[in-house]
Amino acid sequence: PTPSSTNDDREEHYRELEAYFDSFASVADAWRRRNRGYHDLVENVYRFHVPPGRKVLEIGCGTGDLLAALEPVDGVGVDLSSEMVGAAGRRYPHLRFVHALGEELDLGETFDVVVLSDTVPYVHDLVDLFDRVRAHCRPDTRVIVNSYSRAWRPLIRAAEAVGAKPRKPIRNWVSAPDARNLLDITG
């Protein structure tokens, strides 16, 4: 593809994704309650790795629940959905929320921890995303990424088909070795 067709594809992808998550914002809490076990597990794993009182950046923060659960001294959540950012800001006014693409993020500051929880599957350009992550890191910053495993793909599709999980526009199925490679490539 030509550079302009790639940019057009990216812009179209994000227009569709933002529209999806803007409309999903009104039902996000209901789905979170319905799948509480999963969200509790994710929060517990992150709390194990992120002690309270850290400066935390979460890219793809949704309604801000995971960021708030980490009890940051300074927490910044970033999401491409203005509706999600608005909901997060109302719910957690002591945290900062920014409406932006992770691939274009430039906050001009660094963090103790950068979180990408279930974000990678929706990203158009993973190298650009991880470049922006690097820009917000110091040498001692911990970057934590969790994502859907390809092994779960049939189960996720089945859960979506029966209404046990919302159908989401997943773009990437990135393995742990792929994520490690992307982190290495982008420094």
Side-chain angles (χ1 to χ4, degrees):
T2 66
S4 64
S5 70
T6 301
N7 287 339
D8 291 345
D9 291 345
R10 177 178 167 158
E11 289 175 20
E12 179 62 22
H13 167 72
Y14 281 122
R15 271 194 301 276
E16 291 172 4
L17 199 60
E18 183 173 12
Y20 172 83
F21 281 105
D22 279 350
S23 67
F24 185 76
S26 65
V27 297
D29 286 339
W31 279 107
R32 184 173 174 78
R33 283 190 301 275
R34 188 170 184 177
N35 296 296
R36 186 77 226 161
Y38 171 76
H39 296 288
D40 286 347
L41 174 66
V42 170
E43 286 177 7
N44 288 332
V45 168
Y46 272 89
R47 279 196 295 259
F48 177 80
H49 292 286
V50 182
R54 299 294 193 259
K55 185 175 180 183
V56 179
L57 169 63
E58 182 181 9
I59 300 174
C61 67
T63 57
D65 296 322
L66 176 58
L67 181 62
L70 298 177
E71 301 176 27
V73 67
D74 183 11
V76 179
V78 176
D79 204 279
L80 70 93
S81 165
S82 60
E83 293 296 320
M84 291 288 202
V85 166
R90 289 187 296 277
R91 183 174 290 166
Y92 305 108
H94 62 288
L95 301 173
R96 293 184 286 154
F97 293 97
V98 178
H99 177 225
L101 289 177
E103 293 154 293
E104 298 174 357
L105 190 62
D106 186 8
L107 298 174
E109 59 186 305
T110 59
F111 295 83
D112 299 319
V113 179
V114 178
V115 170
L116 294 118
S117 180
D118 292 334
T119 300
V120 171
Y122 305 104
V123 174
H124 184 79
D125 189 322
L126 292 167
V127 172
D128 282 353
L129 174 67
F130 284 107
D131 276 339
R132 299 317 313 146
V133 167
R134 180 180 34 94
H136 293 88
C137 293
R138 301 181 307 269
D140 64 336
T141 297
R142 175 174 274 181
V143 177
I144 307 174
V145 180
N146 73 285
S147 187
Y148 301 116
S149 167
R150 185 179 298 270
W152 287 91
R153 192 175 193 171
L155 184 58
I156 288 171
R157 294 294 184 227
E160 290 173 343
V162 299
K165 181 193 174 305
R167 189 175 305 272
K168 292 185 176 177
I170 294 173
R171 180 180 188 90
N172 301 305
W173 293 87
V174 178
S175 68
D178 291 338
R180 276 192 290 279
N181 286 339
L182 285 163
L183 289 165
D184 286 342
I185 288 168
T186 58

